Structures are given as C-alpha cells and as structure tokens.
Amino acid sequence: MTETTHTQPMPPKGAAKSRSPEFRLAEDALRGLRQDLIHDAFAYRPLPRMSVDGRFTRRLSPRLREYAAWAPHAAVLMGALWAMLISASGNDSGGRFSSLLMVLLAVGPILLTLFRPVGAFWCSMMATPVAAAFGDSWSDWPWQTGSFAGHLVVLTVVALRTRPRTAAWMWALTGSYGFVVESVLGAGHYSSNTGPMMTMSAFLLLGATVFHIRHAAQREVTAQQTVTAHERSKRTLLEERTTIARELHDVVAHHMSVVAIQAEAAPYRVENPPPELEQAFATIRENAVAALTELRRVLGVVRAEDYEAPDTPQPTLADIDGLLANVRDTGLTVEKVVTGAVRELPQGIELSAYRIVQEALSNTLRHAPGATARVEIGHVLGGLGVRIVNGPPTGLVKPSPGAGHGITGMRERVTMLNGEMTTAETDDGGYEVTVFLPVPLTDDPA
C-alpha cells in the first residue's frame, strides 16, 4: 500500500495577501468618503441658475423668467435668513458679541453653499463646537439653536447639489459627531438634540435623494425620447425612400420595356438592314433586358415581406380630380386651379406631383379640421409648379398632433427630382406648401 503526501505550495514572498470581504468593503467605503467629502472639498462650484424651460416657467413673461432663473439662489438666501432669525432669538441673554458670533456661525456656512458646497458642510461642522463654546443655552446640546437650523439648511442644500452618496456620508458624520460629543462632554446638560437632528436631517436628505433620483430618471427618459424620435425620423425617411423606389420601379420598368420592344422591332421596319445595324439593336435590347433584371433584383431588396404590388397603374395628374372628390367626401372644401398650357409630363414628375398634393391635403385634414384648401397647378416653361394652401382650423374638432413625417416625404420626392420646396404659415393662420419640379425641354413624355 502506497501512501501519497500532498504538500501545499507556499506563496512566493512579497505576494499580496488575500483580503477579506469586510476589509474590501471598508476600503471601498473610505475611498468613497475621500472622493465625496475630502478630495477638492473647497473647490469653486458656483450654484447655476435654474432652467426656465419647465412646464410652468415657460409660461411666464420674459422679464419674470429672468427673475425665476435666480430662484435657487433666493431659496438659499431665505434659508440663511431663517437661520439668522432663529439664532438671534435663541441668544437674547448673551452679549452683543456673542449674538453676532452665533449669527455668523449659523449663516456663514449657508452662504458658502452658493460657491463651495462640500466645504460649506465642513465649515458647518467646525462652527458647531465653536457655537457651543460661546453659547449660553444648556438645554440645546450639542447644537445651539442657530447652529441646529443652519446645519439643517446646509445639509439640504449640499445634498441637492451633490449626489445621494454624499448625503449619506454627511448624515453619518453628523450622527457620529453628536454621539461622540454627548458621550465625552454631555455632563451637565439637561437634554440632547442629536436625536431630533438625526431625524429631521434624515427626512430632508431623503427628500433630496428622491429629488435626485427623479431628476436623473427624467433626464434619462428625455434622452431616450430624443434618441427614439431621431431613430423614428430616420426610419420614416428610409420608409419614404423605399416607397418612392417602389413607385418609380413601374415608371422605369415601363420605359425600359418600351426600349427593349422597339429595339427588337426596329430591324423589321427597314428593308435589308445592314448586319451592323441589326447587331446594334440586338445590343440595345440585351442591355435593356439586363437593366430590367437588375431593377427587379434591387426592388426585391427594398420591398418588405408584406408588400403587395398595386393592381392599378400609378396615379398621374389626370387623377387629381378623383383625389379631390374623395377629400370633399370627408368634409374638406377644396378648390383646384390649373394655369398654363396643360401637357403630358414624364410619369415620374406626374406621380410625385400627385403624391405631394395627396400628402398636403392629408395634412390639412389632420392639422386644420374644418379649413378650406386650394390646389394650384401651374404648367410653366421648364417645369411644373404646385401650390397647396389651407386656411386656419375652424369648428369644434381639435387638430391631430403629428411628427412632421408628411413634410419629410414630400421633401424627399422634390429632392429626388432636383426641385425646390418651401413651407410656411400664412398670415391668417393657415399653411402653405409650394413646390417646383423642373422638366427639361429635351425630355420626351412617356
């Protein structure tokens, strides 16, 4: 029988010993204390003015909003005034110097919170024993009346200006000071106010912590809403571009099909065509067929899974009357005016013009219920002008909120055709959309 002995390898000299979880917890706590209340304790951090973009402040007049921005500073000054009155009333029996000193020790740290918040806490802690030494009240121990009120104000302001962990450290140091002073120097005093100090400061610091958490949550929600709105805008833009690509597929496919058919039939219209001409038309037809194949492949990429190809041809300007008839059935009074020599335009131009009119009238129905609208189509030399204008909303129906995606879609169509588009509110409270789509004179209509 063989006996095997296992020897535990000795750790190398100089290696760090493993530390217990309790030691690491205490080390982290001291590191947090040093970071929150010791490191750069007297750094200059002026109290910023309040934002005036809130729910209530934005309704104020410009002059009142300027004053409202200083509300935090006014609140600190009111706290200092409150502590001063309490300190003055609690030291009536003392001399003039003692009363003035009590007031300064109570108000000074509060005013310091406007510029050096963490340093103001340490000044308040150091002012407390000084006020106790010069005070004449034996019932208020270890905080004199003015020091009690001033320290509460300092704790609240510093907690609001720093993070919640700092509030916890200040509360713990305040309690430690009270219990240590009571144990060492508490003889001869009738009562102690450490308990009331810890209770009242706990409620105040808890309120400041809740304010911090709520404010942080609001900032996070606002940031998330901003990101969501940006992503929604990008998605809407891509969806609109995809829709335009789907619609223009039929237009481009029609023209390419005509090219392929004409190239195939062209040699039969000429008696005894030369071989070079036949080869040229065959090449044209092959290129047209290849372009159609690539076009269908690209359309398959941008087409959604639930997309169904339309059974009817894409609309043109000739279908505007039917669109206006449907809109009138919904209760919108709309008028159409056509100027210039009406002519057949490229199908892409007519399709985009139809969609722009359709979207503008839809926006009128949503945002200006009960209003009247006017559609102006002008055939001018070198292009097509479209203007849709509506009056202000009337009646009892409230306008529906929108995200402005309709304007984005119209602008995308105009940009694709190298056109120009302007939108603006009218003098009577309505809205106007003006579009110009250029049509080169060399373009032949489909």
Side-chain angles (χ1 to χ4, degrees), residues 86-401:
I86 292 179
S87 179
S89 62
N91 291 274
D92 293 337
S93 59
R96 181 177 301 178
F97 174 78
S98 177
S99 299
L100 179 61
L101 181 61
M102 293 296 104
V103 171
L104 293 178
L105 292 176
V107 174
I110 298 177
L111 298 179
L112 191 60
T113 59
L114 295 172
F115 308 100
R116 307 179 192 275
V118 178
F121 166 74
W122 289 115
C123 289
S124 180
M125 291 293 294
M126 290 184 291
T128 299
V130 177
F134 285 89
D136 57 356
S137 175
W138 288 91
S139 60
D140 298 325
W141 181 261
W143 281 275
Q144 293 292 308
T145 305
S147 299
F148 189 95
H151 194 64
L152 286 178
V153 176
V154 169
L155 288 177
T156 304
V157 176
V158 177
L160 290 173
R161 296 201 57 192
T162 55
R163 52 183 173 178
R165 192 176 68 177
T166 305
W169 279 119
M170 291 190 301
W171 187 79
L173 290 176
T174 299
S176 300
Y177 167 80
F179 290 121
V180 169
V181 172
E182 279 186 11
S183 302
V184 178
L185 304 174
H189 295 278
Y190 299 118
S191 62
S192 169
N193 55 10
T194 300
M197 168 63 76
M198 298 304 295
T199 302
M200 296 180 65
S201 62
F203 281 107
L204 292 174
L205 296 179
L206 180 61
T209 302
V210 171
F211 173 80
H212 270 294
I213 295 175
R214 183 174 180 272
H215 190 60
Q218 286 180 340
R219 287 201 308 266
E220 185 177 354
V221 169
T222 302
Q224 188 63 36
Q225 288 177 344
T226 302
V227 173
T228 302
H230 180 67
E231 293 297 330
R232 186 185 298 114
S233 178
K234 290 177 59 178
R235 184 175 67 249
T236 303
L237 183 62
L238 293 176
E239 290 177 353
E240 188 63 33
R241 290 178 178 177
T242 302
T243 302
I244 295 174
R246 293 169 185 165
E247 293 177 349
L248 291 183
H249 166 264
D250 296 338
V251 178
V252 179
H254 168 72
H255 290 292
M256 296 304 297
S257 300
V258 172
V259 171
I261 294 174
Q262 290 180 348
E264 184 177 7
Y268 298 100
R269 299 185 178 184
V270 180
E271 185 177 357
N272 298 324
E276 294 82 2
L277 183 61
E278 293 182 353
Q279 182 61 36
F281 281 118
T283 302
I284 294 174
R285 182 183 182 280
E286 292 176 359
N287 290 333
V289 173
L292 280 172
T293 304
E294 292 296 329
L295 185 62
R296 294 190 183 97
R297 184 179 294 111
V298 172
L299 182 65
V301 174
V302 300
R303 177 176 293 167
E305 295 180 358
D306 57 348
Y307 173 75
E308 296 182 1
D311 298 331
T312 59
Q314 295 291 353
T316 62
L317 290 177
D319 302 311
I320 289 289
D321 292 334
L323 172 64
L324 299 183
N326 293 333
V327 172
R328 292 189 184 102
D329 292 339
T330 63
L332 177 65
T333 303
V334 57
E335 176 187 4
K336 186 185 81 166
V337 177
V338 179
T339 58
V342 179
R343 66 187 187 279
E344 188 177 2
L345 300 173
Q347 191 173 359
I349 299 292
E350 296 206 5
L351 172 61
S352 296
Y354 179 91
R355 294 301 187 196
I356 290 171
V357 174
Q358 183 182 38
E359 186 60 42
L361 294 178
S362 298
N363 288 342
T364 302
L365 290 172
R366 286 193 298 267
H367 305 301
T372 59
R374 178 184 176 93
V375 177
E376 300 176 1
I377 301 176
H379 295 264
V380 297
L381 185 64
L384 176 71
V386 179
R387 180 174 179 266
I388 307 96
V389 59
N390 62 267
T394 59
L396 301 177
V397 181
K398 294 183 178 180
S400 301

